[in-house]
Amino acid sequence: MKWTFEAEEAIRKVPFFVRKRVRGRVENEAKAEGKPFVTLDEVKATQARFLSRMETDIKGYRIETCFGAGGCPHRANAGDRLVQMLEALLAEADLLKFLKEQVHGPLKYHHEFRIALADCPNACSQPQIRDIGIIGACIPEVTQDTCSQCASCVNACREQAIVLGAPSSELTTAWPFIRMNRCLSCGECVRVCPTGTIKEKGGGYRVLLGGKLGRHPMLARELSGIFSEDSVIDIVKDGIALYRRRSKRGERFSEIFTDGDFEEFQIEHGAKRLDV
Ligand code: SF4
Ligand code: SF4
Ligand code: SF4
């Protein structure tokens, strides 16, 4: 649906964490009223209705996803099951009841527990600034299938993680070598390799904990490794349990998640890594 310049300007001023929802609602309401495009009046009317209903919209948690499922060619992990598993887990945790007991005064969106899932390291849904961030991963591996030395993988890798030929003592054949310490598991090399010399070893997820924006912004810390869906669910379960034990008066997960907690998560969940 088309938007006028003024309408676009107005929607850009809506706080980023509700902008996507307000935008969707503006379009739906404009369509329902038979409007051919969105003007400033439609934005203002919807925004007023949206803010007046804010408290009834709050469900205690929010799961944000990127546009990967809409057909993004960069998807490293196309598993849609994880979103449903997270939705079921968070609904069962009943964080709305918990927040109502903890927060004095009206609940706001910023009180909600936030999880962002991005289907590749481009991280469009901003998992680095959420309570828990999850990034889809495709672990590459070099097979025995003959390499044509086309260098497509080298050109596709934005991390300069792939070398061809024998540039070091580590590589003795004319096969590609992947420096895994640089690899972000984006899967681009797997997609472009025409010979199957680089293939997907397995798909999984990277997990980041304790990010937020606000007055004291903090980037989430990433657990070492790539995890299966079930392991991600176990990590999220532990994160929610910790949050419920420690968070008082609506404190964010990042405010209660210490360096010691991070180390414990590394030890507790490190054994289940898929990439070792
Ligand atoms: S995070 Fe990756 S898969 Fe998701 S929309 Fe962005 S580029 Fe596409
Ligand atoms: S999966 Fe790793 S090696 Fe392959 S393109 Fe992505 S970052 Fe480079
Ligand atoms: S591994 Fe595949 S993409 Fe890379 S040079 Fe060999 S044939 Fe080309």
Side-chain angles (χ1 to χ4, degrees):
M1 192 167 202
K2 286 197 172 146
W3 287 54
T4 63
F5 176 77
E6 291 77 17
E8 286 286 3
E9 285 290 293
I11 204 74
R12 264 196 281 276
K13 291 180 188 149
V14 171
F16 75 92
F17 51 90
V18 290
R19 193 179 303 144
K20 197 167 141 193
R21 261 176 289 161
V22 175
R23 190 181 180 97
R25 209 172 273 195
V26 171
E27 290 201 350
N28 289 340
E29 292 184 2
K31 269 185 214 154
E33 288 175 23
K35 303 272 169 68
F37 49 83
V38 174
T39 68
L40 184 58
D41 287 345
E42 273 79 57
V43 177
K44 282 184 174 167
T46 305
Q47 201 174 345
R49 283 195 286 272
F50 186 80
L51 291 174
S52 68
R53 293 203 302 250
M54 185 192 279
E55 196 158 4
T56 54
D57 268 1
I58 289 175
K59 56 180 186 175
Y61 67 89
R62 196 70 46 187
I63 300 171
E64 292 151 295
T65 55
C66 70
F67 302 108
C72 178
H74 297 294
R75 278 185 113 184
N77 187 330
D80 295 323
R81 193 172 144 249
L82 183 59
V83 180
Q84 291 157 17
M85 292 163 85
L86 288 168
E87 191 67 53
L89 174 65
L90 285 157
E92 193 187 333
D94 199 0
L95 292 176
L96 181 59
K97 181 165 178 270
F98 172 74
L99 283 169
K100 281 181 176 167
E101 288 162 1
Q102 293 292 328
V103 176
H104 302 303
L107 286 182
K108 302 269 173 55
Y109 286 121
H110 68 257
H111 290 122
E112 292 187 309
F113 191 91
R114 287 179 176 269
I115 295 183
L117 175 58
D119 287 339
C120 88
N122 290 346
C124 298
S125 51
Q126 302 182 315
Q128 300 92 340
I129 52 168
R130 303 292 185 249
D131 295 309
I132 298 182
I134 300 163
I135 297 178
C138 164
I139 310 166
E141 76 172 345
V142 177
T143 69
Q144 294 301 310
D145 292 351
T146 305
C147 168
S148 68
Q149 298 279 292
C150 68
S152 299
C153 54
V154 176
N155 296 330
C157 180
R158 292 163 62 182
E159 312 309 319
Q160 287 88 47
I162 305 176
V163 287
L164 290 176
S168 73
S169 57
E170 291 162 312
L171 190 67
T172 52
T173 63
W175 251 255
F177 178 77
I178 302 176
R179 294 182 281 201
M180 292 309 290
N181 59 338
R182 288 182 175 224
C183 174
L184 289 184
S185 303
C186 68
E188 295 291 351
C189 54
V190 174
R191 276 189 284 281
V192 299
C193 179
T195 58
T197 310
I198 299 183
K199 279 195 174 141
E200 178 176 3
K201 183 181 172 191
Y205 298 90
R206 294 158 53 196
V207 182
L208 298 83
L209 299 163
K212 73 176 182 92
L213 282 181
R215 291 164 74 99
H216 301 284
M218 201 175 287
L219 283 182
R221 282 167 285 183
E222 181 170 347
L223 293 178
S224 304
I226 311 284
F227 299 91
S228 67
E229 285 171 340
D230 289 339
S231 296
V232 172
I233 291 295
D234 286 344
I235 295 167
V236 175
K237 265 186 198 162
D238 284 357
I240 292 172
L242 183 74
Y243 172 69
R244 294 184 73 111
R245 276 201 307 280
R246 297 240 196 94
S247 173
K248 307 283 177 221
R249 297 176 298 282
E251 283 169 306
R252 298 301 305 266
F253 181 68
S254 60
E255 292 164 321
I256 56 108
F257 188 68
T258 65
D259 291 347
D261 295 325
F262 180 74
E263 289 311 319
E264 271 185 35
F265 271 63
Q266 293 263 53
I267 294 164
E268 176 72 24
H269 297 283
K272 298 179 206 150
R273 294 172 58 163
L274 294 175
D275 55 326
V276 287

